[in-house]
Amino acid sequence: MGCLAVAYLSIIETLRRKEFYVVLVLIVGLAIWLHLINISESSAGRFAKDVIMQVVWLASFALAVPLAARQIPQDLESKTVYVILARPLPRWQYVLGRTIGAAGASGICLTGLFLVLAIMLCVKGGEALVDPMLWQAFALQLVALFMLCSLAVFFSSFSTTAGAVTFSFIILCVMRYGAKSLSDMILGVSSIWQHTAWCLYLLMPHFEFFNVTQRFVHGWGPLPFWIFLYIAIYGIVYAIGLIAVCSLIFRRRWL
């Protein structure tokens, strides 16, 4: 399919930009950090494990957003989009391919960081490699990356790269770490505006669903499979919806 060829092109372009070398440095730094600190089941060890996992997730997000946000603006600026669309390739496949490419490159980075984390946890006496909670956290993080890349590509279809990066990071931070506070705040507004606020809240991408780190750190057990499946389907469907809207915007764009 044409979209897969475009996705492959995105990953190759990322390799040429040598951004994976930054990830390699992060992986080496993470391995050294994990070797030096205590990550046992004590309170201090659980705290350290929580911090490390959050760093791994945030590093993958920090790499994914600029990577996805620059896909369309960069092609427009360099005129590459005309070369790609000169072939019989529908615009929706171009948008889908660029999104999959950005998510794929980000997923490769996350996988490298995650494997170092899992191996070092295992080396230090744990059983992380066979712990379903850790693999659930990894799988949901991959879906969250796909949703985040779709969000960044969506914003980039009608704004600059800097604007898309800014909007994406704001929504990511608010929804992943402040969704509960936001819902409490909506309960405090007047009833006239409350219904509108709830509608907007429900339309937002709920990145907090994918943050199951605490379950692994404190040993609360894996998510029931149906909840895990529901969250994964929610993320994939939301991402596809964003790509569809982005394709409609890009289709109407004069090139």
Side-chain angles (χ1 to χ4, degrees):
M1 290 179 65
C3 62
L4 294 181
V6 176
Y8 176 74
L9 179 65
S10 297
I11 295 175
I12 295 298
E13 287 173 353
T14 307
L15 282 171
R16 286 176 181 165
R17 286 177 173 271
K18 301 180 180 177
E19 288 174 334
F20 281 118
Y21 292 109
V22 177
V23 179
L24 195 59
V25 172
L26 288 174
I27 287 173
V28 173
L30 178 65
I32 296 172
W33 187 17
L34 283 166
H35 178 69
L36 295 176
I37 64 172
N38 172 24
I39 48 176
S40 64
E41 293 304 318
S42 64
S43 298
R46 287 198 298 271
F47 175 75
K49 202 185 295 182
D50 186 18
V51 171
I52 289 167
M53 292 189 71
Q54 294 298 338
V55 168
V56 169
W57 303 153
L58 288 175
S60 63
F61 286 145
L63 289 166
V65 170
L67 185 61
R70 72 166 184 241
Q71 296 289 319
I72 293 178
Q74 180 180 271
D75 281 353
L76 292 171
E77 186 178 348
S78 64
K79 313 295 184 190
T80 306
V81 66
Y82 298 107
V83 179
I84 297 174
L85 294 179
R87 301 177 181 181
L89 180 72
R91 291 193 182 190
W92 69 266
Q93 285 200 23
Y94 165 76
V95 174
L96 177 62
R98 283 305 192 192
T99 308
I100 292 176
S106 306
I108 291 172
C109 300
L110 172 65
T111 303
L113 291 165
F114 174 80
L115 284 178
V116 170
L117 172 65
I119 290 171
M120 290 302 291
L121 287 174
C122 194
V123 167
K124 288 225 166 185
E127 298 178 349
L129 288 177
V130 293
D131 192 335
M133 290 183 287
L134 188 63
W135 291 105
Q136 275 190 348
F138 173 64
L140 291 179
Q141 194 71 10
L142 279 179
V143 178
L145 269 182
F146 181 43
M147 196 164 75
L148 182 62
C149 288
S150 304
L151 185 69
V153 171
F154 165 73
F155 282 127
S156 71
S157 65
F158 57 85
S159 69
T160 62
T161 301
V165 169
T166 304
F167 291 139
S168 301
F169 270 128
I170 289 174
I171 291 179
L172 170 66
C173 294
V174 169
M175 297 309 296
R176 188 169 176 102
Y177 300 104
K180 179 67 170 58
S181 301
L182 190 60
S183 63
D184 291 341
M185 190 169 64
I186 292 173
L187 289 174
V189 302
S190 63
S191 58
I192 299 174
W193 295 104
Q194 199 175 87
H195 297 295
T196 305
W198 275 120
C199 290
L200 293 174
Y201 176 78
L202 293 175
L203 286 174
M204 297 287 279
H206 287 265
F207 287 104
E208 76 275 15
F209 293 166
F210 303 88
N211 189 5
V212 294
T213 303
Q214 294 299 316
R215 299 188 71 86
F216 171 72
V217 171
H218 297 286
W220 294 343
L223 284 173
F225 181 72
W226 69 271
I227 296 179
F228 169 77
L229 193 62
Y230 171 80
I231 297 173
I233 290 173
Y234 165 79
I236 293 171
V237 169
Y238 196 98
I240 291 173
L242 283 173
I243 293 170
V245 176
C246 179
S247 299
L248 288 175
I249 295 172
F250 191 69
R251 186 179 178 183
R252 294 176 178 274
R253 190 162 182 167
W254 186 85
L255 296 174

